[in-house]
Amino acid sequence: MEISSLDWISGAVNPLKAVFLLQMVVDLVFCQLHYMIPEESKHGTFVGRVAQDLGLEIREINSRMLRIVSRDNKDYFQVNLQNGILFVNNIIDREDVCQRVNVCVIHLEIIVDKPVHIYHVDVEIEDVNDNYPIFSAKQYNISIAESRLVGTRFPLEGAVDDDIGVNSVKNYELSPNAYFSLEVQRDKHQSESLEVVLKKSLDREKEPVFNLTLTAFDGGKPKLSGTTQLLISVQDVNDNAPTFSQSVYETYLLENSQKGTVVVKLNATDADLEENGEVFYEFSNQVPQFIRFLFDLDKISGEIKVVGEVDYEQTNHYEIRIDAFDRGQNPMAGHCKVLVNIIDVNDNPPEMTVTSLSLPVPEDSTLETTVAIIRIQDKDSGSNGEVKCHINENVPFKLKLSLREYYSLIVDGPLDREVVDRYKIEITAQDEGTPALTTSETLWVEISDVNDNAPTFQKNVDTILITENNPPGSFVYTVSATDGDIGQNSFITYTLMESLTDGMPVTTYLSINPENGKLIALISFNHEEVTNFQCTIKATDAGFPPLSGNLTLHVFVIDINDNAPIPDPTFFSTDLEAAEIVPRSVKVGTVVTKIRARDADSGYNAWLSFEIKDESEKIPFGIGPHSGDITVIRPLIESNQDDYKLVIVVHDHGEPAMSTTVTVTIALTEQIQEIHVEQNKKGFEYEDFINANTYLIMAICLVSGTFLITLIVYTVIRWHQCTQEIDELRQNNMGSLARSWTYSMQRQYKFCRNGISPQNDLILFTPNLPNTLDIEEGMYQPEFIMGPSAR
């Protein structure tokens, strides 16, 4: 006889089948590609054109580093990077990969870089009919009392087929006989119950033993089968079997329940008396060994207790068949089924895996740039398996859900390596269970430098002083710039910008070391030729593109006393001698002549003084120490000499002082005519000198007044600007500020008198030297110096 398993499917949708269908629908919705191949496919079997189906160009799958990641980390499949075809890499046995699962799907992630993207591909493994139905034993021994009534059912252990669907066990056949038939029943969990039904009353005296063949068939093509022998012995004792209070016991058990927890207490009774009515319990032969490791049955009380580790994630439903036997000479058995449903508890924290990490991150990265791909999953179900993920605050990054259980760590704000060069990202994943379980992972994100900072000098304008007559090649000054970048972007090279000073390139005066910024004087400077000039230093980094900053240097050549006073060549001969005729009648105080000299230096170095060498009381002449006027200091009428030879020393006020000696011979005469002529001559000359001096003094006063007014206005403006700068720096919390302004200004007013070449007669210094200049510890004061021509 043949019984089809389809005969037991009711019109309503079975709940377990609905769960499987729902899982298939969810997988199809979330996956991007779905392929199907039969199990046992050989290596190289075509699966699908994955690159074409995902819209990827064949030429870019190599450069974008296309790779496959499977959840169980096994390489069942590979992608041919030449044509983008997904093929079988290893032979797949569906029964090994998906045990006790109706729909076998291998989940793959196709990951490409530049930019990072993840595609979900599901490959469904179709079952092929490669397994025979197998019974647990080649022969089953069944004892049946002859008193059993027609219609009595005797459960049998069904065959097992590792295949699924149509390839699983579909029907059974029992060898033809007059006493027994075969029936298959299914409960709401689609669990099959195979039973032998007594069709005709037994008579041990006529037929004590039945040897029947039970055959199981699957639904595959070709159809496969397996057989076992049923050896049925007819007993003639104990005609009442134990009866359970329920044919099916259904209970619920929390996973991770402690050992010793009572699952259910069974109750079976026997109507017989004494030994025939004493009941004990045993697991049915159909109960697999792994269930016996999880649960223990008390033979006397009928309590089923937990003795192993109950894990919802491994199995969420157990079916246990129990037999109750009496202790009669020919024991009789009652049967029931215990359905244990496992309730999930939140015992698995989220699992976090970083599958792709792109470090370091350039500081000029745009928003939404992907830094890492993070996979987060939870083995629990329901709300216990729902996970929320977040990162610590105050970092320019955020998490973005990309596909299913994948998050992307992306840039969410501006990055500046000079402010923060490394970020500590704490990723926290928390499920929705009670109590909630948390997993944390720390990522250190390095920020790489880009050339976004130009070299800067401490001051944009600076002033340096060079003493004249310096040796060529001497060190002058060191410029220094800083760059906030690092590495090659912070390597600074210094150059001297091309410019002209008095028609000459500035590079003929100075040279700079491109590596350390040291300025070298190429020539020996002469203050009398060059008093000051300006140059520009450019600092350039080695980044790409290179950035630069400029420093303007005001260079002042400091005068030293290297020029001796030079007497007026129109008054003195080449041997520095001159002669004057003076009448004896000249009164005391009369200016008889004037010594004129000039000094090529400036300032104190050009301030001249005059004195008569070895002056004695007998000489009736004296000389003004600053004017150079030779005057009569005693009456000449009393003098017995006819002439006087005056040796006059002209010296400046430099350190050390330099001097020149001239000789003036004054002859005394008493001839009135000569005196008159000489007096007229001298009178006209002296009057011309007085007039010239008057106009000169007026011009000097006018120019000096204009200069002083301009200087005062400029000083007030600069002071106002400096005050504003200091206020701004205080507002910007810049702290203490040390700045110095150096102004070294020299004004020279030149005039000519009586054909004498220009002299440095009026010099004005207004220095405000920085503290680094050792000029009497900052005690240097401005001085107003009058040369000999102005006194």
Side-chain angles (χ1 to χ4, degrees):
M1 70 188 117
E2 179 176 346
I3 301 173
S4 174
S5 61
L6 296 175
D7 296 337
W8 297 91
I9 301 177
S10 62
V13 178
N14 186 278
L16 184 59
K17 194 168 185 178
V19 171
F20 289 136
L21 291 175
L22 180 61
Q23 180 65 36
M24 291 177 61
V25 172
V26 171
D27 286 341
L28 288 173
V29 169
F30 282 95
C31 75
Q32 292 173 291
L33 290 178
H34 188 90
Y35 299 110
M36 298 177 66
I37 62 168
E39 69 173 326
E40 305 294 339
S41 295
K42 295 182 180 180
H43 173 78
T45 300
F46 173 85
V47 178
R49 300 184 184 277
V50 66
Q52 178 179 342
D53 295 340
L54 291 176
L56 299 175
E57 295 291 337
I58 299 299
R59 64 176 181 272
E60 68 176 0
I61 59 177
N62 268 312
S63 62
R64 295 187 65 184
M65 299 177 63
L66 184 143
R67 56 194 181 276
I68 296 178
V69 178
S70 63
R71 294 188 179 180
D72 53 3
N73 296 322
K74 294 184 179 179
D75 54 342
Y76 293 118
F77 303 94
Q78 285 291 331
V79 175
N80 189 329
L81 298 180
Q82 302 300 322
N83 53 25
I85 292 177
L86 180 68
F87 64 91
V88 176
N89 188 41
N90 291 315
I91 296 177
I92 302 172
D93 187 351
R94 184 193 178 284
E95 286 71 38
D96 290 338
V97 176
C98 305
Q99 298 179 1
R100 300 189 296 274
V101 176
N102 287 338
V103 179
C104 181
V105 177
I106 296 178
H107 301 283
L108 304 176
E109 278 77 37
I110 306 295
I111 301 177
V112 295
D113 293 336
K114 302 177 182 178
V116 176
H117 201 86
I118 299 175
Y119 303 93
H120 291 279
V121 178
D122 290 347
V123 180
E124 182 177 348
I125 309 302
E126 296 180 326
D127 185 48
V128 298
N129 194 24
D130 58 347
N131 292 285
Y132 288 83
I134 300 175
F135 291 91
S136 61
K138 293 183 178 181
Q139 178 178 304
Y140 292 93
N141 296 320
I142 303 174
S143 297
I144 302 177
E146 64 176 348
S147 60
R148 299 303 291 266
L149 301 176
V150 174
T152 303
R153 298 173 180 275
F154 304 94
L156 296 175
E157 181 179 0
V160 176
D161 193 333
D162 289 336
D163 296 322
I164 63 168
V166 296
N167 297 326
S168 63
V169 176
K170 291 300 180 183
N171 50 59
Y172 296 87
E173 287 183 3
L174 189 64
S175 57
N177 67 93
Y179 290 89
F180 299 94
S181 63
L182 191 65
E183 289 185 4
V184 178
Q185 294 182 352
R186 285 185 175 86
D187 57 18
K188 64 180 182 179
H189 295 286
Q190 296 297 307
S191 175
E192 292 183 348
S193 297
L194 185 63
E195 296 176 331
V196 174
V197 181
L198 183 61
K199 299 191 300 180
K200 185 179 178 181
S201 297
L202 299 175
D203 188 351
R204 183 180 176 279
E205 286 71 23
K206 290 182 179 180
E207 199 168 357
V209 177
F210 296 89
N211 193 351
L212 306 176
T213 299
L214 178 61
T215 304
F217 296 92
D218 63 20
K221 293 182 181 181
K223 185 180 293 186
L224 302 178
S225 64
T227 62
T228 187
Q229 295 301 121
L230 300 180
L231 186 60
I232 302 176
S233 302
V234 180
Q235 302 291 331
D236 193 23
V237 290
N238 194 16
D239 58 351
N240 287 294
T243 303
F244 285 92
S245 60
Q246 298 175 229
S247 61
V248 177
Y249 291 84
E250 186 170 11
T251 185
Y252 294 87
L253 178 67
L254 290 174
E255 72 167 323
N256 300 330
S257 294
Q258 296 182 355
K259 296 180 180 180
T261 301
V262 176
V263 179
V264 68
K265 182 177 176 61
L266 305 177
N267 182 30
T269 59
D270 194 313
D272 295 325
L273 299 175
E274 298 180 354
E275 290 184 352
N276 293 332
E278 293 182 8
V279 178
F280 65 93
Y281 305 90
E282 288 185 355
F283 285 116
S284 170
N285 292 332
Q286 304 177 38
V287 177
Q289 194 66 28
F290 76 93
I291 292 181
R292 297 172 186 261
F293 290 149
L294 291 177
F295 303 101
D296 179 64
L297 175 61
D298 190 306
K299 292 185 176 183
I300 304 302
S301 65
E303 287 184 345
I304 298 178
K305 295 182 180 180
V306 177
V307 294
E309 298 294 334
V310 181
D311 191 349
Y312 176 89
E313 285 70 43
Q314 291 184 356
T315 305
N316 58 11
H317 174 78
Y318 295 95
E319 180 182 306
I320 308 173
R321 296 178 184 273
I322 306 296
D323 295 334
F325 297 94
D326 59 26
R327 296 185 182 277
Q329 186 176 358
N330 297 310
M332 300 187 70
H335 314 282
C336 76
K337 186 189 296 183
V338 178
L339 303 178
V340 181
N341 299 301
I342 306 303
I343 301 175
D344 183 40
V345 297
N346 193 27
D347 61 339
N348 291 285
E351 297 178 358
M352 188 182 306
T353 306
V354 179
T355 61
S356 183
L357 187 62
S358 300
L359 293 178
V361 180
E363 62 177 323
D364 61 347
S365 297
T366 59
L367 297 180
E368 303 290 329
T369 298
T370 300
V371 178
I373 301 295
I374 302 161
R375 179 185 178 187
I376 300 175
Q377 56 183 349
D378 196 312
K379 293 181 180 179
D380 294 320
S381 61
S383 61
N384 295 332
E386 296 179 3
V387 181
K388 291 184 178 180
C389 191
H390 65 275
I391 64 175
N392 53 309
E393 298 179 354
N394 302 323
V395 293
F397 301 94
K398 71 176 181 179
L399 285 176
K400 179 182 179 182
L401 181 63
S402 54
L403 286 174
R404 203 152 52 189
E405 55 195 25
Y406 284 87
Y407 287 84
S408 298
L409 179 65
I410 62 176
V411 177
D412 189 42
L415 304 177
D416 191 346
R417 189 208 62 79
E418 289 72 40
V419 178
V420 180
D421 61 351
R422 188 170 73 156
Y423 289 93
K424 181 180 180 182
I425 309 296
E426 295 181 355
I427 306 173
T428 303
Q430 183 175 3
D431 59 29
E432 297 293 321
T434 303
L437 299 179
T438 301
T439 298
S440 296
E441 184 80 18
T442 299
L443 293 180
W444 288 97
V445 178
E446 302 284 345
I447 308 300
S448 62
D449 183 50
V450 298
N451 193 27
D452 57 346
N453 289 281
T456 57
F457 293 93
Q458 187 176 5
K459 295 185 292 184
N460 294 329
V461 179
D462 204 353
T463 300
I464 62 173
L465 305 178
I466 301 177
T467 304
E468 68 171 331
N469 297 336
N470 59 293
S474 60
F475 168 75
V476 174
Y477 188 67
T478 299
V479 297
S480 178
T482 58
D483 194 311
D485 297 317
I486 60 173
Q488 178 179 342
N489 296 330
S490 65
F491 183 78
I492 298 176
T493 302
Y494 301 93
T495 55
L496 188 61
M497 302 293 289
E498 291 290 342
S499 62
L500 296 178
T501 299
D502 293 335
M504 296 291 292
V506 73
T507 51
T508 61
Y509 294 153
L510 298 174
S511 174
I512 189 168
N513 188 312
E515 295 181 359
N516 55 31
K518 289 186 176 181
L519 275 175
I520 304 298
L522 298 178
I523 63 173
S524 178
F525 286 96
N526 189 347
H527 176 81
E528 288 71 40
E529 295 177 356
V530 179
T531 58
N532 64 84
F533 61 92
Q534 177 179 307
C535 63
T536 301
I537 308 296
K538 182 179 181 180
T540 306
D541 60 29
F544 184 81
L547 303 176
S548 61
N550 293 337
L551 168 67
T552 300
L553 281 181
H554 294 285
V555 182
F556 289 88
V557 180
I558 300 177
D559 181 52
I560 63 175
N561 193 25
D562 59 344
N563 291 282
I566 301 174
D568 184 4
T570 62
F571 185 74
F572 293 95
S573 62
T574 55
D575 54 358
L576 301 182
E577 292 185 355
E580 286 286 345
I581 300 175
V582 178
R584 290 181 181 272
S585 59
V586 172
K587 297 180 180 180
V588 175
T590 301
V591 176
V592 296
T593 187
K594 184 178 183 66
I595 304 300
R596 298 177 180 86
R598 60 183 179 84
D599 196 314
D601 296 321
S602 61
Y604 276 95
N605 297 330
W607 185 19
L608 302 181
S609 296
F610 305 87
E611 63 179 350
I612 298 175
K613 186 177 181 180
D614 299 331
E615 184 177 3
S616 64
E617 296 181 358
K618 295 181 180 180
I619 298 176
F621 300 98
I623 189 169
H626 300 299
S627 64
D629 293 339
I630 298 177
T631 59
V632 178
I633 58 175
R634 283 189 296 275
L636 298 180
I637 197 69
E638 300 174 356
S639 176
N640 297 323
Q641 294 181 226
D642 293 330
D643 56 55
Y644 291 90
K645 191 174 186 179
L646 304 180
V647 178
I648 300 173
V649 178
V650 183
H651 64 85
D652 56 29
H653 287 72
E655 290 291 339
M658 301 187 72
S659 62
T660 300
T661 302
V662 297
T663 302
V664 178
T665 302
I666 300 177
L668 302 180
T669 180
E670 295 183 5
Q671 297 179 9
I672 298 176
Q673 184 178 358
E674 293 180 1
I675 295 173
H676 178 74
V677 173
E678 199 65 34
Q679 282 182 345
N680 289 338
K681 175 184 175 183
K682 294 293 182 177
F684 289 129
E685 182 180 345
Y686 184 72
E687 184 178 356
D688 292 340
F689 169 73
I690 294 300
N691 293 335
N693 251 3
T694 300
Y695 292 122
L696 178 61
I697 292 174
M698 292 176 63
I700 290 175
C701 291
L702 180 60
V703 172
S704 298
T706 304
F707 171 76
L708 287 175
I709 293 173
T710 304
L711 181 61
I712 292 172
V713 172
Y714 176 76
T715 303
V716 171
I717 293 174
R718 287 295 298 162
W719 175 255
H720 180 67
Q721 292 177 348
C722 293
T723 304
Q724 287 183 340
E725 292 177 2
I726 293 173
D727 291 340
E728 291 177 359
L729 291 174
R730 288 176 178 172
Q731 293 175 2
N732 292 332
N733 295 324
M734 294 295 290
S736 62
L737 178 67
R739 299 187 61 186
S740 63
W741 292 267
T742 303
Y743 301 98
S744 179
M745 290 178 291
Q746 177 178 314
R747 299 292 185 266
Q748 300 183 7
Y749 296 90
K750 301 179 180 180
F751 63 93
C752 298
R753 186 186 63 190
N754 296 334
I756 300 177
S757 60
Q759 299 185 19
N760 296 328
D761 291 320
L762 179 61
I763 300 165
L764 177 66
F765 285 94
T766 58
N768 184 9
L769 300 179
N771 293 333
T772 56
L773 298 177
D774 187 14
I775 303 179
E776 296 186 3
E777 298 296 326
M779 297 301 293
Y780 190 81
Q781 298 295 328
E783 294 198 27
F784 183 84
I785 303 170
M786 296 294 295
S789 299
R791 290 185 176 268

